[in-house]
Amino acid sequence: MSVLLISRFDPDEWVRALVAHLPGVHLRVYPDVGDPAAIEVALVHRPQPGLLRTFPNLKAVVGLFAGVDAMVNDPDLPDVPFSRMVDPLLTRDVAHYIVLHTLRHYREQPLLEASQRDGRWAPRPPPPAATVGIMGMGEIGGLAARMLLDLGFSVRGWSRTPKSIPGVESFAGRDRLPAFLGGTHLLAMALPLTAATAGILNRATLAALPPGATVINAGRGGHVVDADLLTALDRGHIAHATLDVFSPEPPPADHPFWRHPKVTITPHTAGDPRPESVAALAADNVRRALAGKPLLYPVDRARGY
Amino acid sequence: MSVLLISRFDPDEWVRALVAHLPGVHLRVYPDVGDPAAIEVALVHRPQPGLLRTFPNLKAVVGLFAGVDAMVNDPDLPDVPFSRMVDPLLTRDVAHYIVLHTLRHYREQPLLEASQRDGRWAPRPPPPAATVGIMGMGEIGGLAARMLLDLGFSVRGWSRTPKSIPGVESFAGRDRLPAFLGGTHLLAMALPLTAATAGILNRATLAALPPGATVINAGRGGHVVDADLLTALDRGHIAHATLDVFSPEPPPADHPFWRHPKVTITPHTAGDPRPESVAALAADNVRRALAGKPLLYPVDRARGY
C-alpha cells in the first residue's frame, strides 16, 4: 500500500521533507502512480479535478494547503475523510501580507512610488487615524487582527459567526455587513470561498465602504466582482486595491488589473506552504489516515471549508 | 512678551492647535516677529540657521520635531535651554515605516511590483526566516523592535550604550558593529545624526552585511555614504535600499537614487509632527520655559541629540 504525493511544487523538496517524517511509508510522487488500487492516502496541493476518483481504495485525502474551495467543488472528489492544512507559518505569512499591505495603503506608499517614477519629491501629510476591517476571522484573519491591534490600529472583524478577540469589534452575519463596512477605511479579505461568500465584494458592498477606502484580497479571486471593483476605483470611491488572488488565475494578459494605476497585483504568494513546516503536520495526518483515526483539520464539505 | 512659531508647515493648523493649549499667551508666527526683543520662547520646526540669534531675550527653544542635528550644528544657536519632541504618535509613525518597509523587503514586494509592470505572473517561494537589525535603539528603534518581535522576526539592536528589551539581542559600541551587521538580513536605521554616526553606512559596514541584505534609512541622509551604497546595490551585495532621508534633501534631480531599480525613495515622510498631537506637548514646554522650569526632552548639545 502507498501514499501518493500530488503537488504542483518542486516535488524533490517535498519528498525529502515528508520521507524524514514518514519512516517505513512507501511514498510515490504523481504521475508515477504504479497500481492505482494500492494508493491509500493522497497528499495533495491543487490536484487536477477528477484525478482522486481514479484510486479505488483511497482512505483519505490530506490537503497541503488552506484554501480547499476548488476541491470541495469538484463533483468527482471521493467521499473519504479530507483535511486542509492549518500551518502556523503559512498563517503567519498571510497575516504578514495583510499587515504589509494595510501599512502600504495607510501610508500611501503606491502614491509615493508613482512620485519617485516621475522624479517628484512630493511629501504627504501624516495620515489620520484609521480603522482596519477584516472579513474572515479564522486563523489567518484573527492573527492579522491581533498584529494590527498591536500596531495601534482600530480593528474590526466580520465573520459568519461572532468571534471574540479582545480589542477587536466583532460583526457577524450578512445583516451586519453594511455596518461593518461603513466604518472600515482599510479592508482586508481573508475569507474561505463558499457559496455564501462568492462575489461578496461587489457594487453594493464597495459602495458601503467610506470614500477613499482601500481593499486587500488575500482570500480568493471569486470573492470579487472585478468589473464592480474597477468601476469603484475609476470613480475614486476606492483609493487602491491590492489583490493576491484572481478568477481565473493568473488574470488574462488583457485584464485591466495588470496596468491599472490603482491596482497592485501579487502572484498568489500571500501564503504558500513551506515543506519544512508542513511536512510534519501532513505526516501526522497520513499516520492518522493509515491507522483509521480521525484527521486533524477535517473539511466540512457542506460548510465548504 | 511673546512666543514665536517658526514652522515650514501650514501655520494655520499649528496656530489653531497651539492657541487652544496656551490660553493667555501671545503667539506670533514667523515672519511676523514684531519687536525681536519681546520674543521669549521660540517654537521651531527646521528654523533657518542664524535666525534664533536675532532674539536677544530668548529664554528657550522648543523643537517641534525629533531630529535636531541641523540645529545642534548651527554655530549661531543661542545658548539657552533647547528641547526636542518625543511625540508618541510620531514615534509610532516612524516605527510603522520601519515595519512596513521591513515587510516590503522581506516579501520581495519591489520585485513583485516590477513583475506587474512587465505583465509577468512570477511567484516567488516563501522567504526563509530572517533577522532584523535596528541601528539606534531610542524611542523609535525600540518601538520598531518590539513591533517586529511581535510579528515573529528575530530582532537585534545596535546602539551607543547597551539596551535591554526582552527578546531583542543588544549590541553596543563600534567594536560590536561588525558582529551586529554580520547577522542582520534586514537593516533599519533609526539613529540620531552626530559626529559619531555621520557616514556610518559606508563601504566597510555595507560589506559586513550578509549578501542579499536590505537597508532602510529612517534616520538622516548624513548616515549614508551614497556612492558606497550605490556600489553595493550595483554589485548585488545589497538587494534593495529604501531611503526616507537624504543629504542634501531632496536629492538633486540627477542623483542616481531617483531612477535606481533597487532604490525606493520616500520624501522624508517616515514621521512628521501632527499638530493635534504635538501641540499639547509643545505647550507644556512653553509653559515650563515661561516659568523658568527645566524643559522636557532637553537636548544634550555635546552628545548631539
Side-chain angles (χ1 to χ4, degrees), chain A residues 3 22 66 94 108 117 189 242 280 283:
Chain A
V3 172
L22 290 170
V94 184
E108 302 186 296
R117 284 195 291 278
M189 316 234 311
T242 293

Side-chain angles (χ1 to χ4, degrees), chain A residues 143-156 165-168:
Chain A
L143 181 59
R146 286 189 293 273
M147 286 177 173
L148 288 161
L149 208 55
D150 286 346
L151 291 177
F153 286 97
S154 158
V155 182
R156 49 174 55 191
I165 296 181
V168 177

